[in-house]
């Protein structure tokens, strides 16, 4: 079997790694991939958002399945284009991907479906948005409607901060078209959790829970990032929450999409705030999370391709998805300066020693090969992942592996999974 993975981050290395370990021994191609995926198959010199080049490659090479990592190509209609050409795809249609591509669309679906979520209003007019903020008061959350590379959300603790965010989006156009509309939302409080589900248009199979660490520094301090680490399972998601999340979040959303003539196929990621009044949806993503995927797939037991193919075919069953009892932890090693500006091209050493730690696997994110050396090529450089019989063991192994790796000005959080460790005590 020939599998094409679209994307070049840590999530895609984890997907390619898991797929490459399937018993069917598939051949892996990645567009564009990174230095990690290069060890599993062939990297193609095609950007993840280059829908036409991907379609052209597929027409010539006829992969058995295309697994799409990032949101941008899905929102640009990659799945529709490939399906029309007779290529099997894991990933939703453009219409379904709007759940991530437009926060206003997503909220409209949730409100119509009765999905628990923050109260909100949307605006294109700056004066009206400012008046709404003054009326509601702070804390309050301002979100650019469209895709803004993870930078479109401002959790404003003061009215002035919220006003600034609205002006930057609607008047100064800092997010371009993605920020021409804003969603202004009630502030919610509580621990967050990521719940992902595979959906084949009809059947929903929920994946193991995970928690991401968004702030750059220990104790959840400093600016937001794409994610500095993750672990699975997340004990904050208690047994009683699962049926609620399945019914009130996933089933309701799917029924409402169907009413609108939209069928969802792929993975749907619900970012949840576990408030004192129960779980509420902060956002939907139309793809796997990064770095949650690194932690989740480390725990996936057995082959993954039968599940991904069944999603595309509409034949998904619970039995395709099984979990190891181990816990997993992914620690992101980032470039100095990230999430601000950072240098690239620093040589990375110690990867083989890190991969030899029992239970550990190093997923590459921002890396590339340069004359046979692995060098940094992004802000989030590596996702150092480990499983263990307990969360303590997984954490210790992941940090032992981090200790084997060197690159100039590397930084990483030392407290990934602290909440799970506290629960386990
Ligand atoms: P999003 O991209 O929508 O997930 O937002 C990024 C982050 O902003 C989330 O992970 C939360 O930490 C925070 N956030 C988003 N919406 C809210 C909200 N309504 N209340 C409090 N925090 C929020
Ligand atoms: N880890 C957050 C995301 O993938 O959006």
């Amino acid at each position: 079997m020939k599998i094409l993975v679209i994307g070049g981050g840590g999530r895609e290395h984890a997907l390619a790694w898991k797929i490459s370990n399937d018993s069917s021994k598939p051949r892996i191609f990645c567009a564009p991939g990174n230095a990690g995926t290069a060890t599993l198959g062939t990297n193609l010199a095609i950007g993840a958002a280059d829908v036409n080049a991907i379609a052209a490659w597929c027409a010539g090479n006829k992969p058995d399945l295309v697994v799409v990592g990032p949101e941008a190509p899905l929102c640009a209609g990659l799945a529709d284009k490939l399906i029309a050409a007779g290529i099997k795809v894991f990933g939703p249609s453009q219409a379904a991907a709007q759940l991530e591509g437009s926060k206003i669309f997503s909220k409209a679906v949730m409100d119509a479906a009765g999905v628990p979520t923050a109260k909100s209003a949307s605006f294109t007019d700056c004066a009206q948005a400012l008046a709404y903020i003054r009326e509601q008061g702070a804390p309050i959350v301002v979100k650019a409607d469209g895709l803004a590379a993870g930078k479109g959300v401002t959790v404003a603790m003061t009215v002035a901060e919220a006003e600034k965010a609205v002006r930057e989006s609607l008047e100064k156009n800092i997010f371009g078209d993605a920020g021409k509309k804003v969603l202004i939302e009630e502030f919610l409080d509580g621990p967050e959790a990521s719940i992902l589900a595979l959906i084949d248009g009809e059947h929903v199979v929920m994946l193991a829970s995970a928690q991401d660490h968004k702030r750059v520094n220990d104790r959840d301090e400093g600016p937001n990032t794409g994610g500095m680490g993750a672990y699975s399972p997340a004990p904050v998601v208690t047994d009683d929450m699962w049926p609620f999340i399945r019914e009130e979040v996933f089933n309701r959303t799917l029924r409402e999409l169907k009413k609108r003539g939209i069928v969802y196929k792929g993975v749907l990621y619900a970012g949840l705030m576990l408030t004192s009044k129960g779980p509420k949806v902060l956002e939907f993503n139309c793809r796997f999370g990064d770095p949650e995927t690194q932690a989740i797939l480390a725990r996936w037991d057995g082959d993954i391709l039968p599940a991904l193919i069944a999603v595309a075919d509409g034949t998904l069953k619970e039995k395709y998805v099984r979990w190891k009892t181990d816990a997993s932890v992914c620690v992101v090693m980032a470039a100095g300066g990230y999430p601000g500006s950072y240098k690239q091209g620093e040589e990375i050493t110690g990867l083989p020693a890190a991969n030899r730690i029992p239970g550990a696997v190093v997923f590459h994110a921002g890396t590339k090969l340069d004359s046979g050396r692995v060098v940094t090529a992004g802000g989030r450089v590596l996702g150092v992942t480990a499983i263990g019989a307990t969360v303590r063991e997984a954490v210790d192994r992941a940090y032992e592996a981090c200790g084997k790796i060197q690159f100039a000005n590397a930084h990483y959080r030392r407290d990934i999974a602290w909440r799970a460790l506290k629960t386990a005590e």
Side-chain angles (χ1 to χ4, degrees):
M1 270 211 281
K2 218 191 255 183
I3 311 295
L4 173 62
V5 176
I6 306 295
R11 165 183 54 208
E12 288 78 18
H13 185 196
L15 281 163
W17 166 81
K18 186 66 203 160
I19 294 168
S20 72
N21 285 325
D22 261 40
S23 52
S24 61
K25 297 273 166 273
R27 285 169 65 202
I28 310 280
F29 296 83
C30 287
N34 57 35
T37 64
T39 66
L40 303 170
T42 307
N43 283 349
L44 308 173
I46 298 176
D50 194 343
V51 170
N52 290 332
I54 294 166
W57 188 88
C58 290
N61 293 276
K62 302 269 182 284
D64 297 287
L65 182 71
V66 178
V67 180
V68 187
E71 62 279 12
L74 293 166
C75 292
L78 177 62
D80 310 70
K81 196 169 176 119
L82 295 181
I83 289 165
I87 305 284
K88 208 170 271 191
V89 181
F90 178 89
S93 66
Q94 184 171 35
Q98 287 181 89
L99 278 185
E100 176 166 3
S102 165
K103 290 190 188 290
I104 294 173
F105 171 84
S106 187
K107 188 66 91 175
V109 169
M110 287 191 259
D111 286 344
V115 171
T117 184
K119 189 180 80 167
S120 71
S122 64
F123 299 91
T124 49
D125 181 83
C126 196
Q128 284 176 11
L130 295 175
Y132 180 77
I133 286 169
R134 286 170 203 142
E135 181 195 306
Q136 296 293 317
I140 192 160
V141 181
V142 179
K143 300 183 172 185
D145 178 48
L147 297 180
K151 298 192 170 65
V153 175
T154 304
V155 180
M157 287 302 153
T158 62
V159 166
E161 239 181 294
E163 288 176 343
K164 180 164 172 266
V166 161
R167 285 204 177 91
E168 285 183 342
S169 195
L170 294 180
E171 279 182 358
K172 296 191 185 150
N173 276 322
I174 64 164
F175 302 119
D177 283 351
K180 286 208 161 129
K181 297 184 215 161
V182 295
L183 187 75
I184 302 181
E185 192 172 278
E186 170 198 5
F187 172 83
L188 299 176
D189 206 8
E192 290 181 45
S194 308
I195 301 292
L196 288 73
L198 297 184
I199 300 168
D200 70 350
E202 199 64 47
H203 310 101
V204 175
V205 176
M206 288 158 82
L207 303 186
S209 60
Q211 196 174 47
D212 181 9
H213 296 256
K214 291 219 164 75
R215 303 291 185 133
V216 71
N217 295 325
D218 286 6
R219 290 178 297 281
D220 296 320
E221 287 170 3
N224 260 322
T225 69
M228 293 300 287
Y231 62 96
S232 173
V236 285
V237 183
T238 49
D239 287 348
D240 56 306
M241 291 181 193
W242 287 97
F244 178 87
I245 296 168
R246 172 185 287 277
E247 182 48 38
E248 312 284 315
V249 175
F250 289 102
N251 287 342
R252 285 189 181 203
T253 300
L254 295 181
R255 278 199 295 272
E256 178 59 30
L257 286 179
K258 254 193 199 149
K259 272 195 204 160
R260 297 170 185 233
I262 299 172
V263 173
Y264 198 99
K265 279 187 174 197
V267 59
L268 181 58
Y269 165 136
L272 302 176
M273 188 74 94
L274 306 177
T275 73
S276 56
K277 297 195 181 114
K280 293 194 180 187
V281 178
L282 293 175
E283 61 162 348
F284 279 127
N285 293 321
C286 62
R287 48 161 178 89
F288 281 107
D290 191 339
E292 290 95 328
T293 303
Q294 291 85 315
I296 289 173
L297 294 190
R299 297 186 57 224
W300 185 296
D301 195 17
D303 289 355
I304 192 172
L305 269 181
L308 302 183
I309 291 171
V311 166
D313 287 344
T315 55
L316 183 64
K317 297 195 173 55
E318 285 282 347
K319 69 173 185 195
Y320 295 144
V321 181
R322 292 192 315 271
W323 303 104
K324 296 179 179 165
T325 52
D326 305 77
S328 67
V329 173
C330 168
V331 178
V332 170
M333 294 183 78
Y338 175 81
S341 60
Y342 50 82
K343 252 179 91 180
Q344 302 191 23
E346 303 288 4
E347 183 171 4
I348 305 169
T349 59
L351 293 168
N355 276 310
R356 279 197 296 272
I357 303 292
V361 50
V362 181
F363 294 122
H364 291 227
T367 71
K368 66 173 187 186
L369 286 171
D370 179 14
S371 319
R373 301 174 316 152
V374 179
V375 301
T376 65
R380 290 192 291 171
V381 176
L382 301 167
V384 181
T385 305
I387 56 171
T390 59
V391 62
R392 177 84 261 167
E393 186 175 51
V395 165
D396 289 347
R397 287 168 162 184
Y399 280 110
E400 191 183 348
C402 288
K404 304 281 183 200
I405 298 170
Q406 293 90 34
F407 56 89
N409 303 315
H411 72 89
Y412 53 96
R413 282 181 60 160
R414 312 286 162 156
D415 66 345
I416 300 302
W418 66 267
R419 221 182 259 277
L421 287 172
K422 214 165 103 183
T423 309
E425 268 166 14

